[in-house]
Amino acid sequence: MATTIAALLLDHDRLAVAGALAARPMTTEELSEVTGRPARQVLVCVGDLRNAGLVGHLDGRYELDLDALRDAAQQQAEVEVPMDPAIGFGMTDDERVVLERFFSGRTLVEFPSQRAKQLVVLQRLALEFDLGRRYTELEVNEILFPFFADWSTLRRHLVDEGFLDREPIGGGNQYWRSGGRVTDLPH
């Protein structure tokens, strides 16, 4: 149902009518005036939105059902996104199984609590760093942030488990790849 509603609202006319109804309940004439669409077109849009369960009719006015819209949005948010195949590149089949449990698309949705699984995730993340290159702490954070909002946890584990090494330089730290397998990732 959520996908149907999202597709339904991709139409400019239906979106305009739904948007107007989000402000307040309206009659067909009011909707026509607010959206700049002919009354006949407004009625077709309202009919489509009513059939999808998004609009109700009360006392001569159409009303957007915010609960139905919230439910559809919640259902859409709960759709599982499979792991991006690039995440599994260079990893064994067993490691891919572990990564599929913790990645949605290219996002690490949860850092594993078991050390063996942590090592698989860290092994994969280490592949993002070029051998022989030195990184500032900001650069490390920028590489890790797209994967997981708590990049400092990832950075700390990468250092603690020997995938990255760290050296204080000036007022900050410098990092470089010091462990893990070598695989050229596709760009």
Side-chain angles (χ1 to χ4, degrees):
M1 178 175 140
T3 304
T4 304
I5 289 174
L8 193 68
L9 292 176
L10 286 174
D11 177 79
H12 291 282
D13 297 323
R14 286 188 294 257
L15 184 59
V17 169
L21 290 175
R24 64 181 172 87
M26 295 185 198
T27 64
T28 304
E29 294 76 27
E30 290 171 323
L31 282 168
S32 180
E33 185 178 318
V34 168
T35 63
R37 270 88 175 158
R40 179 171 169 72
Q41 190 172 16
V42 166
L43 284 172
V44 169
C45 293
V46 166
D48 292 342
L49 294 169
R50 283 187 78 177
N51 287 338
L54 286 179
V55 170
H57 191 258
L58 183 64
D59 297 329
R61 297 185 184 282
Y62 296 104
E63 184 175 23
L64 187 65
D65 185 342
L66 293 176
D67 290 334
L69 192 57
R70 275 190 210 99
D71 289 346
Q74 183 67 32
Q75 288 175 9
Q76 189 68 31
E78 292 173 356
V79 171
E80 285 191 34
V81 176
M83 178 186 77
D84 184 319
I87 296 296
F89 183 82
M91 306 301 285
T92 67
D93 290 341
D94 289 340
E95 289 170 332
R96 272 191 219 89
V97 169
V98 171
L99 294 172
E100 285 172 351
R101 159 66 180 85
F102 294 99
F103 278 86
S104 176
R106 290 184 56 83
T107 303
L108 180 63
V109 294
E110 173 188 352
F111 190 68
S113 57
Q114 294 177 341
R115 184 169 182 266
K117 292 176 181 176
Q118 286 177 359
L119 291 174
V120 171
V121 169
L122 295 170
Q123 174 74 258
R124 171 55 189 86
L125 293 174
L127 293 173
E128 295 295 317
F129 297 91
D130 296 329
L131 289 172
R133 178 172 170 204
R134 294 200 173 236
Y135 297 87
T136 65
E137 191 163 303
L138 178 62
E139 289 172 321
V140 172
N141 295 345
E142 287 174 347
I143 290 169
L144 296 175
F145 179 72
F147 293 102
F148 196 59
D150 186 2
W151 67 87
S152 61
T153 294
L154 296 179
R155 187 184 65 230
R156 182 174 33 84
H157 281 284
L158 284 164
V159 170
D160 290 349
E161 295 294 348
F163 291 100
L164 292 181
D165 214 342
R166 173 181 55 215
E167 178 181 21
I169 301 281
N173 290 313
Q174 196 170 60
Y175 296 81
W176 61 93
R177 172 101 177 269
S178 57
R181 70 176 58 107
V182 178
T183 303
D184 288 333
L185 289 176
H187 294 284

